[in-house]
Every structure is written in C-alpha cells, then in structure tokens.
Amino acid sequence: GEDVEQSLFLSVREGDSSVINCTYTDSSSTYLYWYKQEPGAGLQLLTYIFSNMDMKQDQRLTVLLNKKDKHLSLRIADTQTGDSAIYSCPRDNYGQNFVFGPGTRLSVLP
Amino acid sequence: KAGVTQTPRYLIKTRGQQVTLSCSPISGHRSVSWYQQTPGQGLQFLFEYFSETQRNKGNFPGRFSGRQFSNSRSEMNVSTLELGDSALYLCASSLAGTGRLGEQFFGPGTRLTVL
C-alpha cells in the first residue's frame, strides 16, 4: 500500500462537499479508479479517469487528476449519509493487478 | 447479469487448519483476482488467474495457493492457518485483467476468523 497514499479518515456534514485525496509514487497507470466499499459489501466502482485527462464529472462526482504531482482527488457534492463508506483509489500495476492504498473512511454527520 | 459470488461468507477456523474459499466470476469473465483486506490496511493482492493459469502473484507465503477451473470459477486455499490470516478475502473478476480499461468487479468477500 505504500505506492498509494490516502488519509485514513474524513468527516463532513450532510449537504457539504467531500474531497478525498490520493497520491501515487508510481504514475504508470493508464486508468485510475475510485471504488466505494460499504460495510459488509464488496468494492463498487464509482468512476474512473483516463490518465491523459485532468478532470471528469459524473453527476455528484468530480475527479481531478494532477499528473505532474501524481495526485488524484474525488469530490462528492451534496454529500449524503449514504455516501458514508471507505473510498479507495487503486492504481493499475502495469496491467497485472491493482495496488490499493489504505482507503479513506468517509463519515457523514447529520 | 449475476454479480461475483463468494462462498462461504463467513468462516471460523483454528490455527493450523486449512481453508478453501470459492469465487464464481461474472459470466464471460476469464480473469479472477484475489485480495486480502485486514483492518487498517488496504487490499493486498494475492494472485490472479486467467484461463486456468496463474498469471500474477503478490508477496504472500506459499501457504496461500489458488486455482481456476475451466468454467472460470476459482478457489483459494490457505494451509496451516495463522492468527494473522484473519481477514476479509475478496475476489474480483474482469474480462481480461487490469490492462487497458480493466474494471474489476468485486464480490462481497469471505470473512475468515482464525482462533
């Protein structure tokens, strides 16, 4: 997990925006992904971005990629209690497997 | 289309025993990857199978092994269980692996507790 760095925890109030950040030591991935993991459930793909893009918007989700700084962020607008989960941003290890960071646990307070 | 299924969902074993976990990928998917998730850790890659062959392997001891059948179903085996093997084991299927747009679909996991 050293290749992918994330803060472990984030708390926001319902209705606010959440920003979850990832930093990579290796920027070789062609695609970068955001996954959401709710308690007792597997990982669900939220969105992905192609490495030659710097932004992608998908409804309440905005992904920003700063390739120079090897930094990826996920912004969730109007955060809801149902958004409470662990968010992961794995990188693709040269087409072999995903390398995950520790995940960021997002808590949404009412 | 049915998702990735894993059985059993929960398992309790004692040290020294062995365990076999099963994963059925999405129909048509030929790649199955296994990951271990422990509290406070991200997912750690165990191995990937494609068309019945182990194609990639992570840094886990030889006690962890797997196989894939001709219908793409995969099993993972852990022998001589240790307390530290307690974890959530997730499998993921994809059409052909993580190359290009390698979206992986994850199962709900098997929670293994070693006493």
Side-chain angles (χ1 to χ4, degrees):
Chain A
E2 296 172 347
D3 300 37
V4 182
E5 297 173 356
Q6 297 180 250
S7 298
L8 295 181
F9 302 99
L10 175 66
S11 290
V12 299
R13 293 225 170 262
E14 195 173 12
D16 288 350
S17 293
S18 309
V19 180
I20 304 169
N21 296 301
C22 276
T23 304
Y24 303 89
T25 58
D26 184 323
S27 60
S28 60
S29 297
T30 303
Y31 290 90
L32 292 159
Y33 306 84
W34 281 103
Y35 279 85
K36 175 184 180 183
Q37 185 179 21
E38 295 179 88
L43 278 73
Q44 171 198 353
L45 178 69
L46 281 178
T47 187
Y48 62 89
I49 187 168
F50 188 50
S51 59
N52 71 352
M53 298 170 63
D54 50 23
M55 186 181 94
K56 180 179 178 182
Q57 186 140 12
D58 186 357
Q59 299 182 326
R60 291 191 299 122
L61 306 178
T62 303
V63 180
L64 295 177
L65 175 61
N66 182 326
K67 205 164 181 184
K68 174 175 165 289
D69 293 339
K70 300 178 186 175
H71 185 262
L72 182 75
S73 69
L74 174 70
R75 178 177 180 271
I76 306 173
D78 187 24
T79 311
Q80 303 296 307
T81 54
D83 295 323
S84 293
I86 296 174
Y87 290 82
S88 296
C89 51
R91 69 166 181 84
D92 179 354
N93 184 32
Y94 300 98
Q96 294 186 40
N97 58 275
F98 280 170
V99 176
F100 285 83
T104 298
R105 182 179 294 276
L106 173 65
S107 298
V108 182
L109 309 173
Chain B
K1 200 182 215 183
V4 178
T5 58
Q6 291 186 247
T7 56
R9 292 292 310 277
Y10 302 92
L11 207 46
I12 299 175
K13 292 284 188 180
T14 55
R15 276 182 299 174
Q17 287 187 308
Q18 76 163 21
V19 67
T20 300
L21 311 181
S22 180
C23 172
S24 292
I26 291 171
S27 177
H29 284 191
R30 295 166 67 189
S31 168
V32 174
S33 297
W34 288 89
Y35 294 85
Q36 180 196 66
Q37 186 178 32
T38 50
Q41 298 277 327
L43 278 71
Q44 303 290 317
F45 172 69
L46 281 154
F47 29 65
E48 184 230 1
Y49 286 86
F50 181 83
S51 293
E52 302 179 66
T53 300
Q54 186 182 87
R55 196 162 62 168
N56 300 301
K57 190 174 187 302
N59 295 324
F60 277 81
R63 299 185 297 108
F64 292 81
S65 63
R67 59 179 176 167
Q68 186 180 35
F69 302 94
S70 58
N71 61 357
S72 293
R73 189 177 72 85
S74 177
E75 287 182 347
M76 189 192 98
N77 186 276
V78 188
S79 63
T80 320
L81 283 165
E82 300 177 359
L83 294 178
D85 297 332
S86 295
L88 180 67
Y89 290 88
L90 291 159
C91 86
S93 81
S94 64
L95 281 169
T98 63
R100 298 197 295 174
L101 180 54
E103 179 184 356
Q104 293 201 316
F105 296 84
F106 285 81
T110 294
R111 184 162 298 281
L112 171 65
T113 302
V114 182
L115 303 175

